[in-house]
Amino acid sequence: MTEVGKPTQGRAETMELTDYPLLHKADLMLTLLKVAAQGPASLEDAIKRLKQNLKSVGESPPVSDEEFRTHLSDVQEHLVQAVLLAPLDDGQLAITPRGMQALSDHPGGIDDSVLMEYPEFRAFVEARAGHPMKTVGDESPPGDDPRIAEFDRGIAAFNDGLDINDNPYSRDTPMHIAWESGWSEAKDDAVRTGAWADRSTNI
């Protein structure tokens, strides 16, 4: 078992998708939202869309449908917890008004740092962590919060050219979220200043 807050090592339950185009977590979230935006959708619909996206850039699926399903199930849980998707009685997913707004606000991709804007998702992460998340800039309770250091490391990682999927911390932990939030803020700052162009081709 990986200790909370420690860099991930030797995780081999499912193949990581970070080295493949159009299969980063932000792409998986975007794909699920897009297929649901067209009507009630299933994970199978999202897998089909992912394969189409890969084919459009001359790539073949690097993993089996079952592994796709495992990764998408994790993403689905996060989107449901953030109330961007709603599960239907037949097992399919429906996009919510909040999900439609998120698609409009973040057309290049959505990740956990975006989901942290929603109180329901923050409560979900805090419940898993066993204690409240401290918001960057919040000076109470007193004392240094190591998660702020991880936020700064995320900023530094972006500036060093690392990808958001290079996050060294376990998923669904405060350290992971803080690092990812820092990376995303640095990216947003770069986009605003024209120093970095969004290269996502998710369609």
Side-chain angles (χ1 to χ4, degrees):
M1 179 179 296
T2 305
E3 184 178 351
V4 172
K6 295 293 185 180
T8 304
Q9 294 180 344
R11 186 174 57 209
E13 290 83 355
T14 58
M15 184 176 180
E16 291 298 329
L17 301 180
T18 57
D19 293 331
Y20 299 98
L22 309 183
L23 294 180
H24 294 169
K25 192 169 186 178
D27 296 307
L28 299 184
M29 288 192 180
L30 192 63
T31 298
L32 260 180
L33 288 171
K34 283 186 173 182
V35 295
Q38 297 176 346
S42 66
L43 294 186
E44 301 306 318
D45 295 321
I47 291 172
K48 182 178 179 181
R49 174 66 71 89
L50 287 171
K51 289 180 176 179
Q52 291 173 345
N53 291 347
L54 289 168
K55 185 177 180 180
S56 73
V57 294
E59 295 284 345
S60 299
V63 297
S64 67
D65 284 6
E66 186 57 37
E67 288 185 275
F68 269 137
R69 199 172 293 110
T70 297
H71 287 284
L72 285 167
S73 293
D74 176 61
V75 166
Q76 171 189 321
E77 181 182 22
H78 286 209
L79 292 173
V80 169
Q81 292 292 339
V83 199
L84 272 63
L85 290 177
L88 302 176
D89 291 340
D90 61 0
Q92 296 196 94
L93 298 163
I95 195 167
T96 65
R98 178 185 286 181
M100 292 297 291
Q101 186 63 49
L103 272 179
S104 176
D105 292 343
H106 305 280
I110 294 170
D111 55 32
D112 284 347
S113 67
V114 173
L115 301 188
M116 287 298 289
E117 298 173 7
Y118 306 111
E120 296 88 347
F121 186 73
R122 287 184 64 84
F124 166 70
V125 173
E126 289 172 354
R128 284 194 169 186
H131 51 78
M133 287 281 292
K134 182 176 178 180
T135 303
V136 175
D138 180 9
E139 297 181 356
S140 62
D144 293 333
D145 189 330
R147 285 163 289 182
I148 303 303
E150 300 312 321
F151 181 90
D152 291 339
R153 290 190 181 107
I155 292 176
F158 175 85
N159 292 331
D160 288 341
L162 296 181
D163 187 82
I164 193 170
N165 295 286
D166 292 322
N167 192 325
Y169 296 97
S170 303
R171 295 176 181 174
D172 302 331
T173 64
M175 295 293 193
H176 183 102
I177 297 295
W179 189 100
E180 189 171 82
S181 296
W183 189 98
S184 296
E185 180 163 306
K187 171 190 168 182
D188 290 343
D189 287 344
V191 169
R192 282 193 292 269
T193 60
W196 189 84
D198 184 7
R199 296 184 298 271
S200 174
T201 55
N202 192 303
I203 57 176

